[in-house]
Amino acid sequence: MRVGTSRRSSWLLGLVLGCGGAGANGGATHEPVGEPVVHEAVVVRSTGSAPAAEGDACEVEVTRVEGAYFNCRVRVSCRGEVLYGLPGAGYNTCRMDGEAIRTAVDPNGTRRDGDPKLSLDLARGEVVVSDRDPDMELVLAIRSGEGPAGLTPEPPPGYGPVPGEPP
C-alpha cells in the first residue's frame, strides 16, 4: 500500500513540475531578445468578474524570447494590475512576421496552467483575456495614433446612428 502511495506522490510531483510548478514555463529559461514593445490599449468589452471596466486604459507588453519551448512573452495590465503574464508566466509560441510578433494564443485557463486564456492579434488590434475561474472576459483594442485600432466599442442597447448618418 505504501508503494502505491509513493508512486502516486512521485507521479503527482512530476505532473506539477512538468505543468508549471517550477514556474509557468516548467522551469525552462527564456532569455529576452531586444526590448519589449509596449502597446497602449483600451477595454472595449468587460464581462463577468473582469478586473477592468469598459474605457479603462491598459498596456500590452510583448517581448521576443529565445528558449526551448516559446518565442515570446506577453504581459497585459490594466489599472496597474497584471492580468496576464505574471512573473514566470505569459510565455507563448507567437506567429512572427520577420522579427515582429503578430499573434499569440494561450488556450489554457487558470485551472490548467495558472493564468487566464489569451488571444492576441496585433494586425487586428485586438487582445482578449478570458477565464472560467473566475468567469470573465476582457476585450481590448490596441490604440493607434488616432484611437483604438480595429475594434470600436458597441453602442449601448437602444442607441443607434445619429439621424441623417449612415448606419
Side-chain angles (χ1 to χ4, degrees):
M1 187 86 161
R2 285 193 176 273
V3 172
T5 304
S6 176
R7 282 186 184 157
R8 183 173 182 215
S9 297
S10 296
W11 179 81
L12 286 173
L13 178 60
L15 178 65
V16 168
L17 291 175
C19 291
N25 58 11
T29 59
H30 294 87
E31 296 297 322
V33 176
E35 294 296 316
V37 176
V38 178
H39 302 275
E40 291 183 17
V42 63
V43 177
V44 294
R45 189 170 63 233
S46 175
T47 60
S49 61
E54 290 180 18
D56 281 352
C58 301
E59 285 188 345
V60 179
E61 182 180 297
V62 184
T63 308
R64 287 184 49 229
V65 299
E66 286 184 357
Y69 305 108
F70 304 111
N71 65 352
C72 73
R73 181 169 186 258
V74 179
R75 191 178 75 141
V76 178
S77 58
C78 300
R79 295 182 173 178
E81 179 181 348
V82 177
L83 308 177
Y84 182 87
L86 291 168
Y91 292 93
N92 289 274
T93 302
C94 290
R95 284 193 149 158
M96 308 289 288
D97 182 9
E99 300 291 311
I101 295 168
R102 294 294 173 223
T103 63
V105 176
D106 177 353
N108 301 312
T110 300
R111 286 185 179 177
R112 180 106 187 236
D113 68 4
D115 60 3
K117 296 178 182 182
L118 172 86
S119 173
L120 168 78
D121 188 334
L122 293 175
R124 288 190 59 212
E126 178 182 66
V127 180
V128 179
V129 178
S130 63
D131 211 345
R132 287 183 127 0
D133 187 23
D135 191 27
M136 68 90 163
E137 180 180 68
L138 279 175
V139 178
L140 310 176
I142 303 269
R143 291 183 184 266
S144 67
E146 302 81 45
L151 299 176
T152 56
E154 295 176 15
Y159 287 85
V162 176
E165 288 187 2

